[in-house]
Amino acid sequence: MTKRRRSSRSTRRRKKSSSASQRWSRLRRWGLLACGFLLAIFSLWLVHLDREVRQKFDGRKWSVPARVYARPLELYRGLSLTPELLEQELRALGYRPVERVSAPGQYARQSAGQITDYRIATRGFEFWDQTEPARRLTVSLSEHKVTGLNASDGANLVRLEPEEIGGIFPAHGEDRLLIRLEDVPPLLGGALLAVEDRRFLDHRGLSPTGIARAAWANLRAGRVVEGGSTLTQQLVKNFYLTHEQRLRRKVQEAFMALLLERHYSKAEILETYLNEIYLGQSGTRAIHGFALASQHYFRQPLSELTPPKVALLVGMAKWASFYNPWRNPERALGRRNLVLQVMANENLISAAELEQYRQAPLGIVPSSTYSRQVYPAVIDLVNRHLRRDYRQEDLQSEGLRIFTSVSPMVQRQAEQAVQERIKRLETAHGVVDLQGALVATSVGSGEVLAVVGDKNPRFAGFNRALDARRPVGSLIKPFVYLSALEQPQRYHPATLISDEPVTVTAQNGQLWQPRNADLKSHGDVPLYQGLAQSYNQASARLGMQLGLEAVYDTLRLAGFEGTIPAVPAIILGAVDMTPLEVAGIYHTLAAEGVYTPLRIIREVQTAEGERLRRYPLALEQRFSPQASYQLQYLLQLALREGTGRRVYEQFPHELMLAGKTGTTNDHRDSWFSGFSGQHLAVAWIGRDDNGVTPLTGASGALQMWADLMSRLPTQSVGLEPPENISFDWLDSTTGLLSAEHCEGAAWLPLRAEYQPTESAPCRLASGGGRWWQRLWR
């Protein structure tokens, strides 16, 4: 009985043991299955991470914005240039004044009497047509001209590198200048590794000692005071991941760092880090990479940075906004000096250099000049022209190099003219809401030199130079008079036209009754006087004699493509145009009747320098040289003795200028368009709500135009008449031949085959006549 019980208990124990063993076996199998499943998931995750790492690193890493460059300053003997303008150009390019030139990007000035010498070490640049080498040169300036140019290689023409004036950025706003590792200064690479990751060349993506050291430091401090991330981990965080502080993200970062090190060399990782690191902000534009940061903070390429500047950039890699040298200069200085100390500890600089560099200023450019999007109105026009030929996505991501005709010298003067003149006008007249726009071009080539679309030139909003369509007023009159001069058998500059009141019945039955600004009639006046004095009644009568179709045709031939209302009032400017459109049609007048579409883009290249497209000069003679010359002469009279005569308060009398004022109803718009032999500019002043202003064309826009042109070294309008044009004295009361000392005689250009044959009676004049007309004799 006892044995039976023992056997039963033993059997039960064996059954229990067998059952437990089975359960353990099942658990183990499930555990192994779970581990296998988790391992498979982990493996798939690693494969996914590996694919993500390689796919982005092997492909196009970044969307690089298009770079927009201004025209380079070309130096040659005879160039009109002042010392002030040359130094402005050099400073804008980041050249540094020194006592003795020793490296590219430096210049030294020396004056002796009337001659100013500049010794310059240029940087060189790869242009669309050739590579401009770095060279040493001496430029001598005297009487607002380059009188001497001696280059180290004997060149007679030297181009400085073009100023980068903006870009066309991706939607995410990241901006960077890509740099190859072999072009990185050794001091920068050494300092970066010394500060951020001393064991970079030894570890495989993770640094256990670094992690342990950071953990111990943080534990002792009771807060996060030190990071243990390697430079590779920092790259992963910035290049692939977000900045959230979660365990899952840190684990992912660690494995991606290991994978990155497995597939790519240290050189590839370091080069990518140097181009990826975030180092600041310019408005909505994020500054990435050391190459762009060097330009952003110092306006210098990396190769020209001194050790203290290198130390500042390296120090900012830890926390760019916290060490922003403009907002937190003392904090940035302390961080820079700490980096200098590390550099000395690593024997990158000597102890003596450490003490010297600690005393150096930060050396950053003023905060008001750090933005590379310096001319928003210009970039707006460039972008519009480019969109005709390129997709916006390509402009924002392919790193295209856009070379333009914009002259930084002219642009800066134009912006200053708009800002200062509008401020003075608002103060003088007690108003605060005036706005302005200005467009400047080169005469002959039709290249746009400057665009200002707001009294605040940095404002990237409504661009009045391109989008403010306003009635042009009397700016239209030269095209009416050109229509007449193109009919030489009927009209010459002294042909009489009536300035008596005129009434015209329009097709809708409304009466059009224009009146002169002075509300007076002046009887019969010669053609030149009707335009110079901007008589509305005389101009209206002339336009109606010619016919509206003739005026339409002249505007179209001059290059205007907008809407022209079919009403008589167009003769006096009831046509809406933008300042840019006005510049286009006036350029045809300035270019002696040759139509040239205005252009701002010269060349487009890929990021590697391959030419994509050129925008060559296109010319077409649309008006006779004779009529064009006569009209230019009449526009010179408008500035000598007509509505624009106040302009010579700012110019020497021997400088021949031509132009026309424009004022619309109730003084809502103040216009002026004028040109020299070298520059054309159109100025507009008004209010955005189309309200009344206290300004005429002469008291507003003309003054702004003169502010610009008086600051530019420029040349007179050409005096040499074309074939079949000769000058003679004509009587202003009869339009017949006269003589120099006769009363009312005017020295005017005539077509030889259509000169008057009769002479008017001569009464000797008591005054000296128009002395300046002798310049044509």
Side-chain angles (χ1 to χ4, degrees):
M1 190 75 177
T2 303
K3 291 182 178 179
R4 192 179 298 150
R5 290 175 180 171
R6 288 177 179 172
S7 176
S8 176
R9 286 199 297 270
S10 177
T11 301
R12 287 197 298 270
R13 283 198 297 268
R14 285 197 299 269
K15 286 181 178 179
K16 288 181 179 179
S17 176
S18 175
S19 176
S21 176
Q22 289 175 358
R23 286 198 301 272
W24 173 248
S25 178
R26 285 196 298 269
L27 286 173
R28 187 170 57 184
R29 285 198 301 271
W30 280 109
L32 290 173
L33 286 173
C35 289
F37 179 75
L38 291 175
L39 182 61
I41 294 295
F42 178 71
S43 299
L44 290 174
W45 181 65
L46 280 182
V47 170
H48 168 72
L49 286 185
D50 187 73
R51 180 183 175 186
E52 183 179 347
V53 165
R54 288 185 289 110
Q55 190 173 34
K56 186 171 183 180
F57 209 89
D58 290 336
R60 190 180 69 185
K61 295 182 177 70
W62 302 284
S63 294
V64 181
R67 302 273 164 209
V68 182
Y69 296 94
R71 67 161 57 186
L73 176 61
E74 297 182 341
L75 298 170
Y76 54 88
R77 281 186 174 90
L79 172 69
S80 297
L81 187 65
T82 66
E84 293 75 21
L85 293 178
L86 175 58
E87 290 194 32
Q88 280 185 15
E89 193 85 6
L90 293 172
R91 287 195 299 270
L93 291 172
Y95 281 67
R96 302 172 311 286
V98 295
E99 291 294 327
R100 184 177 180 181
V101 173
S102 59
Q106 297 178 349
Y107 73 93
R109 172 176 174 165
Q110 184 176 3
S111 298
Q114 300 296 317
I115 299 177
T116 303
D117 290 331
Y118 287 89
R119 289 175 174 80
I120 306 171
T122 68
R123 298 187 177 112
F125 191 83
E126 291 186 12
F127 286 96
W128 62 88
D129 52 353
Q130 66 181 42
T131 298
E132 193 79 11
R135 50 163 69 93
R136 301 286 183 94
L137 63 143
T138 301
V139 182
S140 300
L141 301 180
S142 179
E143 297 181 353
H144 295 179
K145 285 188 178 181
V146 176
T147 55
L149 178 65
N150 296 302
S152 56
D153 59 355
N156 295 320
L157 185 148
V158 175
R159 285 187 291 187
L160 299 181
E161 66 270 28
E163 180 183 347
E164 186 180 331
I165 57 175
I168 302 173
F169 302 106
H172 54 63
E174 288 188 7
D175 191 13
R176 55 177 49 82
L177 284 173
L178 299 184
I179 188 170
R180 297 174 299 181
L181 189 60
E182 55 263 35
D183 297 327
V184 175
L187 185 64
L188 172 61
L192 180 66
L193 295 185
V195 172
E196 292 296 324
D197 191 353
R198 267 179 281 183
R199 294 180 53 81
F200 174 72
L201 298 177
D202 302 320
H203 65 65
R204 302 306 300 170
L206 301 178
S207 175
T209 57
I211 295 173
R213 184 180 64 252
W216 176 245
N218 295 337
L219 185 63
R220 290 178 61 189
R223 58 188 177 91
V224 177
V225 295
E226 185 177 331
S229 296
T230 65
L231 189 145
T232 309
Q233 288 177 276
Q234 293 179 43
L235 175 59
V236 168
K237 178 179 65 175
N238 293 321
F239 194 56
Y240 294 99
L241 306 174
T242 65
H243 289 259
E244 62 177 341
Q245 296 295 326
R246 292 188 178 183
L247 180 61
R248 177 180 175 275
R249 207 274 297 159
K250 294 295 291 184
V251 171
Q252 185 177 358
E253 174 190 299
F255 278 102
M256 291 183 82
L258 293 171
L259 290 169
L260 195 62
E261 292 268 2
R262 178 174 179 269
H263 290 295
Y264 303 101
S265 68
K266 293 289 186 179
E268 291 174 298
I269 293 171
L270 181 58
E271 180 178 278
T272 304
Y273 179 92
L274 291 167
N275 287 302
E276 171 62 27
I277 184 69
Y278 172 78
L279 289 169
Q281 197 76 23
S282 174
T284 59
R285 186 172 63 107
I287 307 301
H288 285 261
F290 283 92
L292 181 59
S294 178
Q295 293 285 354
H296 180 64
Y297 293 108
F298 307 114
R299 281 291 176 95
Q300 292 177 255
L302 273 176
S303 60
E304 295 180 11
L305 294 190
T306 59
K309 293 179 179 179
V310 168
L312 177 61
L313 294 186
V314 169
M316 293 180 65
K318 181 179 180 180
W319 192 352
S321 59
F322 188 74
Y323 295 111
N324 184 306
W326 287 305
R327 291 201 301 264
N328 307 301
E330 293 184 3
R331 189 182 296 162
L333 186 65
R335 177 65 178 171
R336 185 205 68 178
N337 289 345
L338 178 61
V339 173
L340 286 171
Q341 181 65 62
V342 174
M343 292 167 66
N345 295 342
E346 297 294 321
N347 296 318
L348 296 174
I349 58 175
S350 66
E353 288 174 326
L354 172 63
E355 293 306 313
Q356 176 189 348
Y357 296 153
R358 277 177 167 172
Q359 305 306 315
L362 290 174
I364 55 176
V365 297
S367 60
S368 59
T369 63
Y370 68 80
S371 172
R372 293 177 76 84
Q373 191 77 313
V374 287
Y375 308 132
V378 168
I379 299 303
D380 186 11
L381 180 58
V382 169
N383 204 353
R384 296 188 197 196
H385 280 210
L386 288 172
R387 284 203 299 261
R388 302 170 186 172
D389 302 311
Y390 299 92
R391 297 184 308 162
Q392 188 69 13
E393 178 185 351
D394 294 335
L395 295 174
Q396 293 176 331
S397 63
E398 296 293 337
L400 301 181
R401 303 170 79 213
I402 315 299
F403 294 94
T404 73
S405 60
V406 175
S407 167
M409 182 189 305
V410 179
Q411 179 72 30
R412 285 188 284 269
Q413 302 304 321
E415 292 180 350
Q416 187 177 351
V418 173
Q419 283 182 297
E420 293 180 355
R421 180 55 61 175
I422 289 184
K423 184 177 180 179
R424 290 172 61 181
L425 291 171
E426 288 179 333
T427 301
H429 296 281
V431 295
V432 294
D433 54 356
L434 293 180
Q435 266 294 354
L438 198 151
V439 176
T441 76
S442 177
V443 172
S445 68
E447 290 189 322
V448 176
L449 302 177
V451 183
V452 184
D454 193 284
K455 63 182 178 182
N456 175 10
R458 301 285 84 78
F459 177 67
F462 182 57
N463 190 344
R464 292 160 190 82
L466 311 185
D467 297 321
R469 294 189 172 277
R470 307 295 283 260
V472 296
S474 295
L475 290 189
I476 210 76
K477 289 175 182 175
F479 300 92
V480 178
Y481 286 78
L482 179 59
S483 302
L485 294 171
E486 283 281 64
Q487 302 179 32
Q489 67 279 12
R490 295 178 60 189
Y491 300 97
H492 59 69
T495 299
L496 297 181
I497 51 178
S498 174
D499 188 51
E500 294 299 325
V502 59
T503 299
V504 178
T505 303
Q507 292 181 350
N508 59 8
Q510 291 186 341
L511 297 181
W512 181 54
Q513 298 176 307
R515 294 292 179 264
N516 288 329
D518 60 3
L519 301 179
K520 298 178 181 178
S521 300
H522 306 92
D524 290 342
V525 297
L527 202 76
Y528 76 85
Q529 195 175 75
L531 179 59
Q533 301 298 334
S534 199
Y535 290 149
N536 289 334
Q537 294 168 182
S539 300
R541 285 185 175 274
L542 178 61
M544 295 310 296
Q545 289 175 15
L546 294 165
L548 297 183
E549 285 297 327
V551 180
Y552 296 160
D553 292 343
T554 298
L555 286 173
R556 294 298 186 204
L557 287 172
F560 181 59
E561 299 177 351
T563 302
I564 304 176
V567 295
I570 67 157
I571 297 171
L572 300 184
V575 182
D576 292 346
M577 296 187 191
T578 67
L580 184 68
E581 288 173 331
V582 173
I585 60 175
Y586 263 78
H587 182 266
T588 304
L589 304 184
E592 300 173 355
V594 176
Y595 169 70
T596 302
L598 296 187
R599 61 195 181 112
I600 194 170
I601 301 171
R602 288 179 165 182
E603 173 97 3
V604 178
Q605 293 181 352
T606 64
E608 294 75 30
E610 178 185 350
R611 176 184 293 176
L612 291 179
R613 186 180 179 92
R614 291 203 69 185
Y615 294 79
L617 179 65
L619 305 172
E620 183 182 352
Q621 186 79 50
R622 292 192 174 180
F623 300 101
S624 70
Q626 293 78 18
S628 301
Y629 182 85
Q630 289 176 313
L631 183 71
Q632 281 193 8
Y633 185 87
L634 268 56
L635 290 175
Q636 292 175 60
L637 293 181
L639 298 190
R640 289 290 180 179
E641 55 189 45
T643 55
R645 59 188 176 274
R646 289 181 59 184
V647 76
Y648 277 98
E649 296 174 1
Q650 298 191 47
F651 293 93
H653 283 275
E654 60 271 17
L655 180 64
M656 308 308 295
L657 302 169
K660 185 70 186 74
T661 56
T663 310
T664 59
N665 291 341
D666 300 321
H667 295 187
R668 297 178 189 274
D669 301 278
S670 171
W671 287 95
F672 186 79
S673 181
F675 51 91
S676 66
Q678 192 174 356
H679 301 102
L680 176 144
V682 176
W684 170 84
I685 298 176
R687 290 173 50 178
D688 287 340
D689 62 1
N690 199 31
V692 175
T693 77
L695 306 173
T696 64
S699 64
L702 172 62
Q703 304 305 311
M704 191 161 77
W705 180 92
D707 291 341
L708 167 64
M709 296 292 283
S710 63
R711 294 167 178 159
L712 301 179
T714 194
Q715 301 170 359
S716 291
V717 174
L719 301 179
E720 188 67 27
E723 186 179 1
N724 294 329
I725 287 288
S726 60
F727 279 81
D728 211 334
W729 293 98
L730 294 179
D731 180 52
S732 59
T733 59
T734 64
L736 301 178
L737 292 174
S738 185
E740 178 176 2
H741 299 291
C742 296
E743 190 175 299
W747 183 249
L748 297 170
L750 302 171
R751 296 204 190 195
E753 65 271 35
Y754 294 109
Q755 284 192 1
T757 56
E758 299 180 24
S759 298
C762 178
R763 177 181 299 175
L764 292 178
S766 56
R770 301 180 176 94
W771 65 269
W772 52 267
Q773 290 187 332
R774 297 187 181 93
L775 293 171
W776 278 269
R777 299 176 63 185

